[in-house]
Amino acid sequence: ADLVGTNLLYADASRNRVDVKNTLRWRRMKGTLGGLEDVAAGISGWGAHAVEMLERVVWVQNFAHLKPRSHFAFDLRNRDAVAALNTPFTEARLIHDLRPVARRGADAVGLARARNAAVHVWPIPSHPIGAATPSALSNGRYRFSTLGRDLALYAGGDKAQHCTENAGADICKPHTDHVPVRMRDAQKHTTVYLNTPLGFSIREDGVPICGAAPSTGALAAPSVSPNFDYAVLATQRGMVAADTTLFGATQNFSIEAVRLGALMQIINAQNAPTPYSPGLPFAAQLVLHNPHGRLALDGVTPDFGYTAGVQPYTPDSGDFHHPAMLLRLTNAGAAAAFPVSEIILRNERGTALQVFLPGLALMQPAQSLYLYVSTDGSTYFARGDHAVGLPDRNPDNGAYGAYALNHLARAAEAQVRITPGHPVGPTRTRRAVIRSLCCWDKPLEPPLITGQVAIDPERGRFMFPVGEFPQGVLSVDYRYAFTASVGAGPYDRGDRSASTITVARNANAQHNSIQAAINAAPNAGTLPVVIEILDSARYDEALLVDNRNFPGGLFLQAAALQTPIIVKPAIPGPVLRVSNSTISSLTLDGLTLSGGDVEITGAVGDIALRYCTLVPGTVSLSITSVDLELGVSACITGPLVLNAPNGSVHLADCIAQHPSATVEQPQGQSAISGANIDGDIQRSTVFGDCVLNSANAGNALFYGDLSLTDLDSSCLRFSRLPKSLHPTRAFHTTSVTPIFISITYGDAGYMHLHPNTDAALRNGGEEGGEIGAFYSAGIAWRLQNLGIRLAEYTPAGIDSFAVAALPRLAFRGNVPL
C-alpha cells in the first residue's frame, strides 16, 4: 500500500487487498467509464454497471455530435427496450433532472443530469441451490422453491466459460453479477441461463429435462476418456431406463454394471495384483468383477426395476487398478432386437449421467454385449469386432485402447433427456420457453405446444403441457438472492461435528428418512449422536424424539453446502417434538423446518440452533424447561416461546418474526416471549414484541414493544428501540422507523433495509455499521468505501453516484375469491 500510495479502506481486509492489487491498473484507467465500473466492482465486492448519464438525457441534436438512437418519444414497439425500463440496463432517454440525487420510493431521482455518472450495484448476493425438490401443484405446474413460494431466480457466479464476448445477456456485461433474471433477457439469451451454473435447470432423474435439440451432423466430438465417476452406483435407483416405451412385450433384457479389477497372483503366500500396464491386452491383466448393479429392461412383466450390486467397491484390493466399469447388455429372453435407447446412471453422490446405448438388429438368448462408457455418455465396444462376447479391449486410449473412434458404439447427443418415443427433429428434446406464468390458474394463451416447458424466472415457476408430465423424479438447480448468510442456505458454516449416522434421498446414506436415523441412534452412549443429512431434498416428516437418552448430546445437521427442508405432512402435531428424553445438548444446524411448530420439553440441556430457518408463519419454537439455555446463531425463526422459571437466550445475527406483526402494527404479537429469561441479543432483528426479564442488546433492531422486567440491569447500545421505552442504561440508541423492502420470508429483499431508511439505522451501529440482522453484510462500509474510491477516480466536472439496484416485488397472480 505504501509503495503504490493508496490509503486503506475501512473494516474490510479483503477489499483492501483488492484495492492495493489493482491501484496501478485503476489509475491507468482513471477517467473512463469502464474504469469507474471496475473500481466499483472491486471495492464493493458486488456486481456493478456504470452508465454515463450524458447518454441518457434528452437533448437537442447537434450536427457535430449526432445521436441517432436518442429519441424523445420512446419506441413502444421495441420489446427489448420496453422490458429494460426501470432497470440499470434501460436505454430510455430521460428529461434533465435538477433535483438533488436521492432515493425516492423505488427509484433514485436526480441522476438524469448530463454531468452525472451512475454506478449501479447489486448489494444482495445470490446463492446456488442444487438438486432441490420443486413443489408440485396440479396440472403439471411447479415452483422452484421447495416450500411452494414464488421467488425471483438470480444469475451469478463464474461466467467466463458461459459468456461469449458478445453474448449480450445481463449477466454477461463486464462486471455484472448476482442479477435477477429478467424475462425478456432470458428469452433472448436462454442458453446463457438454462442448464448452466449461472442460472437454472430442471432435471428428471438427475438429467436436464429441456434444452436445445442437437442438429444432425453438428454433434461435438465424443469423449475418449474413461468415466471413473460411476464406478460405484447409488444403492437406490443407481440405473434408470430413460424411456420405457421403447421396450415391447416380447423384449426381455438386462443391463449390468461390472467393474474392472486386476488379475491376482500368489506372492509369498499372499494375494497380490498383477502389475498393470495400459498398453497390454485386456485378458492379460484385467478381470470383470461381480455386477455392481442390475437394471431389468423387461417388457414382458413389465419390469424396469434396479437391483443394487452385492459386491462393494474395494479400492484396497484389485479394484484399485481400474475403477472404471463396463455395461453388460444381456438378452434374458427369446431372440429379439435391442432398440436404440438410453439409461441414466447415478453414482453414490447422486450425480447423474445419461448413457447412449446402440441398437442391435438381433440378439440371441443369453448373449451379452459389453460397452465402455466415456465421460460424456458416449459408448464404445469392448471387443475389436464389435460383436457379442467377452471383452478383449482395455479401457485405456492407446494401441489396445477401447476408446478409439473406430470402436465408437454410439456418440452422446447431449446431456438433455430425450423425449419418450425418440422422435426425430426439433421435438427430440423438450424446449424451454420463457414466458409469464403470473395467472397460471387460468388456461395459458397461447397454450403450450408439444415438447415445450414454460419457465417464468421472475416468479420461479415452470409448467408442462397437458399429457406430457414427467414420469421420473424432478429436481431443480437455481440461484436465489438474500442479503447475508442468515438462516438455512448453501453457506460455509464453519466447523461441524463428524457424522455418526447419515441420511439422504439423492445419495448413498445409511437411511433415507430422518426419523429412521433418530430411531436407529443408540441410547445411553457417551459420545454425541450426529445425524447428518447429505442432500438438499425435501423430507416430508414429523420428527419425534421421545423417551430417549443421549448423554453425549444429539445433533441434527445438514452436510456442507446443503439445504435440506423438513416439511410436516398434513397431520396434527409439530414438525419436531422432543419429549420425555434426557439429552445433554441438542443442536440443529443448517436445517429448514416448515408446516408445524418445534416443541421441546423435558430434561434437555443446552439447546443450540445454527444457520436454521424455522419458517415464519408456519413454525414457532416452544421450549419448556426447568433451566433454559438457548443459543440461536445466524437463524431465521418464527416466534420463540420460552417457558422456564429462569434461564437465558442468546441471539446473534438472527431474524425473529411474529407472522401477525405488520409494518403498521408491530405491537401486540410477541416474537420473543420469555418473562423469566435473560436475553443477550446481538446484531439481530426482532419483528414483533420482545418480552424478557432483562436484555443485553447491541446492534439490535426491535420493531415492536420491548418489555423488560429488570430494566435497570439491562444494557442497550447501538440499537433501535420503541419510542415508549426510556431505559436508564442506553447508549447510542434510536427510535426511527425502519423501512424494509419486504417482510415476507422468501422474497429477495426480506428484512433488507431500504436506502430511504433513516441513516440512524443504516449507519447507527457500532463503527458505523447497519443496525439489525445484516450488520455482518457490511453494506454501510462497502458503500462508504465505494464513495471514497469513486470520488478519487471520477474525472473533474463529473459527479459519480453509487445506486443500489434493489429487487422489485413481482405481481404474484390473482387471488381466487
Side-chain angles (χ1 to χ4, degrees), residues 343-364:
I343 59 170
I344 296 169
L345 302 181
R346 290 177 60 250
N347 62 21
E348 58 184 348
R349 303 185 310 277
T351 305
L353 177 73
Q354 184 170 238
V355 178
F356 296 81
L357 303 177
L360 300 174
L362 185 66
M363 284 189 74
Q364 297 298 329

Side-chain angles (χ1 to χ4, degrees), residues 350-682:
T351 305
L353 177 73
Q354 184 170 238
V355 178
F356 296 81
L357 303 177
L360 300 174
L362 185 66
M363 284 189 74
Q364 297 298 329
Q367 281 190 336
S368 294
L369 176 73
Y370 286 85
L371 298 167
Y372 284 102
V373 180
S374 69
T375 53
D376 68 346
S378 299
T379 49
Y380 290 81
F381 291 110
R383 286 185 60 87
D385 58 8
H386 303 170
V388 296
L390 291 174
D392 62 5
R393 301 272 163 174
N394 72 38
D396 297 278
N397 197 9
Y400 297 95
Y403 288 90
L405 288 180
N406 59 312
H407 298 315
L408 180 67
R410 184 179 168 207
E413 298 183 30
Q415 286 300 311
V416 177
R417 190 152 176 162
I418 296 175
T419 51
H422 278 59
V424 177
T427 59
R428 187 160 176 79
T429 56
R430 297 179 191 254
R431 301 171 309 285
V433 292
I434 310 298
R435 58 184 295 184
S436 174
L437 298 177
C438 71
C439 302
W440 62 346
D441 53 323
K442 309 296 182 184
L444 294 185
E445 289 295 338
L448 294 178
I449 64 175
T450 298
Q452 288 186 338
V453 181
I455 303 175
D456 185 341
E458 295 183 358
R459 295 173 179 83
R461 302 177 176 184
F462 60 97
M463 185 176 183
F464 296 92
V466 175
E468 296 185 18
F469 305 153
Q471 302 302 309
V473 177
L474 285 186
S475 62
V476 291
D477 304 334
Y478 62 93
R479 301 183 73 95
Y480 74 97
F482 194 56
T483 304
S485 300
V486 175
Y491 314 133
D492 179 7
R493 307 197 309 275
D495 294 336
R496 293 172 296 106
S497 301
S499 62
T500 56
I501 302 175
T502 57
V503 180
R505 291 276 176 87
N506 300 323
N508 281 3
Q510 295 166 278
H511 303 277
N512 62 7
S513 80
I514 304 172
Q515 187 62 56
I518 293 173
N519 295 340
N523 264 342
T526 56
L527 297 177
V529 174
V530 182
I531 298 174
E532 184 166 81
I533 306 168
L534 304 180
D535 56 15
S536 296
R538 169 173 169 148
Y539 292 82
D540 291 287
E541 302 186 52
L543 303 180
L544 176 64
V545 181
D546 184 60
N547 197 25
R548 303 301 301 273
N549 180 19
F550 298 119
L554 175 64
F555 292 73
L556 297 177
Q557 69 181 27
L561 305 181
Q562 300 298 321
T563 312
I565 296 180
I566 305 167
V567 180
K568 185 183 74 67
I571 57 175
V575 65
L576 170 62
R577 172 179 288 151
V578 179
S579 59
N580 305 316
S581 298
T582 302
I583 305 175
S584 62
S585 64
L586 174 65
T587 301
L588 306 181
D589 187 354
L591 306 180
T592 298
L593 296 100
S594 178
D597 295 337
V598 175
E599 298 179 1
I600 301 175
T601 60
V604 181
D606 295 345
I607 302 171
L609 278 69
R610 296 179 66 244
Y611 293 97
C612 286
T613 296
L614 279 57
V615 178
T618 68
V619 181
S620 65
L621 173 61
S622 174
I623 303 176
T624 302
S625 176
V626 174
D627 187 8
L628 186 145
E629 289 292 332
L630 172 64
V632 187
S633 174
C635 290
I636 299 172
T637 74
L640 304 180
V641 182
L642 313 176
N643 300 307
N646 55 69
S648 63
V649 57
H650 306 268
L651 264 70
D653 303 291
C654 290
I655 298 171
Q657 179 187 14
H658 195 288
S660 298
T662 65
V663 172
E664 297 81 7
Q665 188 65 37
Q667 301 87 3
Q669 309 292 341
S670 292
I672 301 177
S673 176
N676 302 317
I677 306 300
D678 296 323
D680 179 28
I681 302 176
Q682 304 294 325

